[in-house]
Amino acid sequence: MSFSFPALCIDDFYPNPDEVRKFALEQNFYPADGGTYPGKRTDHLHELDEDFFNYFCKRFMNVFYNYEHEEVNWVISSNFQLFPPYKGNNETALNKGIIHRDMAICAGVIYLTPNPNPDSGTSIYHLKDNVLPKQLNHDLRFDLHTGKEVDDEAFTKMQDANDSKFEETIRFQNRYNRLISYDAGNYHRANSYVHNDQERLIQVFFVEQVGSDGLPLDRWRHWS
C-alpha cells in the first residue's frame, strides 16, 4: 500500500497548552451515536471557535507546505475527546483500543492531559502476511462504548485474535502537548485508556482532502 503522509511526532505543539486544555474542558461532550468510539467528543472545532480551528490547521499543515511559495487548501475535521478507563484503572483488554484504520488520508492526536500515563499513547501496526483479520464482533465494542455490560473474556478473545494478525512498528508514548499523526491507511490503536487518576483528554483530527501540487510522500517519491 502506498501511503501519502509520514508518521510524525511533534512535542510542545501548542505554545499555550494549558489554555487549550481549559478551553476544551469548558465544552460539552457527547457520546458517539452507536458507540463507534470510546468516551465522548465535543462538537467540531470549527463550530466551537473558527479562529482557533484555522490556527490549528495552519500550524499543522505548515509542517508539510510552505504557504509563501505554494497554494494549498484542505478539508480537516477535529474534536476534543474525553474518556475515563473502563472498569477503573485496570489493565484489561477493555482498556486498550482495537487495531483499525480511519476513513481519511491523514489522522492524528494531540495529548492534552498533564502528567499522563506514558503508556496511554498510540501504536502503528503492519499487517502480517497481508492477510486481513476476520470480521470483528463489533457489537462487543459498540456495547462497551455505550456503557453496556461486556463479557471480559469474550472481548479479550476477540481482541487477541485480531492482534495476532499484526506487528507493532511504531510506539508513541503519551506526553502532554505532543502531536502525533500518521497516514490514515496505517493500522493503529490507543495503547491504554488507563490514565492514573485523570480522564484521558485528547484532540483528534482527520485530514480528509488536500488541494496542492502533491501530498507529502508523493512529493518525496517524485524527488527520490
Side-chain angles (χ1 to χ4, degrees), residues 154-201:
F155 193 91
T156 300
K157 183 178 180 180
M158 175 194 71
Q159 192 172 73
D160 288 347
N162 190 60
D163 289 358
S164 68
K165 303 298 183 182
F166 297 92
E167 61 178 344
E168 183 184 61
T169 58
I170 303 173
R171 176 174 286 249
F172 297 106
Q173 289 193 309
N174 188 327
R175 184 176 186 273
Y176 185 46
N177 199 27
R178 167 175 285 176
L179 177 147
I180 64 129
S181 67
Y182 40 84
D183 192 289
N186 277 306
Y187 288 97
H188 58 278
R189 76 151 157 226
N191 289 323
S192 176
Y193 303 149
V194 175
H195 224 317
N196 302 324
D197 294 326
Q198 307 175 83
E199 292 186 310
R200 188 176 189 264
L201 177 66

Side-chain angles (χ1 to χ4, degrees), residues 129-146:
D129 305 321
N130 292 318
V131 177
L132 288 172
K134 293 181 180 179
Q135 181 68 29
L136 296 177
N137 182 356
H138 287 293
D139 288 346
L140 289 176
R141 185 177 65 164
F142 296 156
D143 286 349
L144 178 68
H145 295 169
T146 53

